[in-house]
Amino acid sequence: MNNNMIKITDLEKYYRTEEVETIALNKLSIEVKEGEFVAVMGPSGCGKSTLLNILGLLDDADGGSFVFNGIEVAGYNERKRADLRKRNIGFVFQSFNLIDELTVFENVELPLIYNNVKAADRKKRVEEVLDNLKIMHRRNHYPQQLSGGQQQRVAVARAVVNSPKLILADEPTGNLDSSNGNEVMQLLTELNEKGTTIVMVTHSEHDARYSHRIIRMLDGHSVTENILI
């Protein structure tokens, strides 16, 4: 854990309507090292989701610097952001975001199709990750045939099938009961132990304790940090 994967300096993000300007990120500065597991906490409206969207290259900041893996990406256009995102980042959402019309196998395969991976390689990688996450027996099922815990397991499989350097998790246990939630947190911990960097937004103090460090946000900037290991 030597190199910074993420270095954000004085990051600013505004949302404007005709009547009002809202500051979502207010000169926010944070660093995340390669191999870290970081939890981001704070009240609703403090800028957590905005931060995650920018870290995930889904949105661009209005000011400040964002260095990802040594590359300044603030100001990248959508095409360059999409290219970097496809190759480096996996997402796990609270609402699973699986596609109902696709089987478990097809949902997990999608990121590989976007990255133009050959069919034989796709099959091998999807089977490998389904096997690792103990969901192989559900490969031909559709999302609505699965429990919430199984759906989140499939979502984690889809996030990691590309071997991303970074996983961004947005309230990953928010729709799960406690035993399924603990299972998902255990999965994220195991992925982190194998070297994947994880940044997780959560309201749960319990989930945050799985991380190495908690960043607490308020009004668009970081107010405190707790190091847990």
Side-chain angles (χ1 to χ4, degrees), residues 155-170:
V156 172
R158 182 187 55 194
V160 301
V161 72
N162 252 335
S163 305
K165 295 185 175 71
L166 172 66
I167 286 183
L168 298 174
D170 191 0

Side-chain angles (χ1 to χ4, degrees), residues 3-217:
N3 304 332
N4 277 330
M5 175 173 283
I6 291 163
K7 184 173 184 184
I8 272 176
T9 312
D10 291 337
L11 207 69
E12 296 178 307
K13 182 69 180 177
Y14 308 102
Y15 292 107
R16 296 179 182 90
T17 64
E18 283 175 20
E19 297 81 35
V20 69
E21 176 179 275
T22 307
I23 300 172
L25 296 179
N26 185 8
K27 295 202 172 294
L28 176 69
S29 297
I30 58 169
E31 295 179 5
V32 177
K33 295 193 184 314
E34 224 170 272
E36 260 198 304
F37 186 164
V38 175
V40 180
M41 301 192 75
S44 296
C46 72
K48 302 186 302 292
S49 297
T50 302
L51 172 62
L52 217 59
N53 284 342
I54 291 173
L55 292 181
L57 302 164
L58 297 166
D59 202 355
D60 196 16
D62 293 316
S65 162
F66 173 17
V67 177
F68 180 78
N69 258 351
I71 303 164
E72 175 61 73
V73 297
Y76 261 27
N77 64 27
E78 172 49 33
R79 177 175 288 191
K80 286 175 89 171
R81 286 205 309 268
D83 187 50
L84 202 59
R85 184 170 65 236
K86 276 192 313 192
R87 289 183 287 112
N88 293 286
I89 301 172
F91 295 89
V92 180
F93 302 96
Q94 175 177 346
S95 54
F96 319 135
N97 284 21
L98 300 174
I99 297 171
D100 286 341
E101 296 73 29
L102 299 183
T103 64
V104 163
F105 185 95
E106 291 163 342
N107 266 285
V108 175
E109 185 185 32
L110 263 188
L112 300 175
I113 292 172
Y114 291 146
N115 271 346
N116 303 315
V117 175
K118 292 193 181 83
D121 291 343
R122 290 202 306 266
K123 183 173 186 293
K124 182 169 175 285
R125 277 160 74 175
V126 173
E127 286 177 352
E128 217 167 77
V129 78
L130 290 178
D131 203 36
N132 283 346
L133 296 182
K134 301 178 177 55
I135 197 92
M136 184 64 132
H137 60 298
R138 298 288 194 189
R139 56 175 291 165
N140 295 320
H141 287 68
Y142 290 89
Q144 60 271 32
Q145 297 174 298
L146 306 178
S147 69
Q150 288 168 335
Q151 287 188 56
Q152 194 58 298
R153 202 170 265 269
V154 175
V156 172
R158 182 187 55 194
V160 301
V161 72
N162 252 335
S163 305
K165 295 185 175 71
L166 172 66
I167 286 183
L168 298 174
D170 191 0
E171 298 283 0
T173 67
N175 283 340
L176 302 176
D177 62 34
S178 59
S179 82
N180 278 317
N182 287 342
E183 217 171 80
V184 166
M185 290 312 303
Q186 200 50 54
L187 277 178
L188 292 176
T189 302
E190 285 164 18
L191 291 168
N192 175 248
E193 283 165 356
K194 290 176 184 164
T196 307
T197 307
I198 298 176
V199 177
M200 172 182 72
V201 160
T202 182
H203 279 107
S204 163
E205 293 282 350
H206 172 270
D207 289 358
R209 285 199 292 274
Y210 283 88
S211 70
H212 302 154
R213 182 161 58 101
I214 301 173
I215 296 171
R216 295 181 192 272
M217 287 179 66

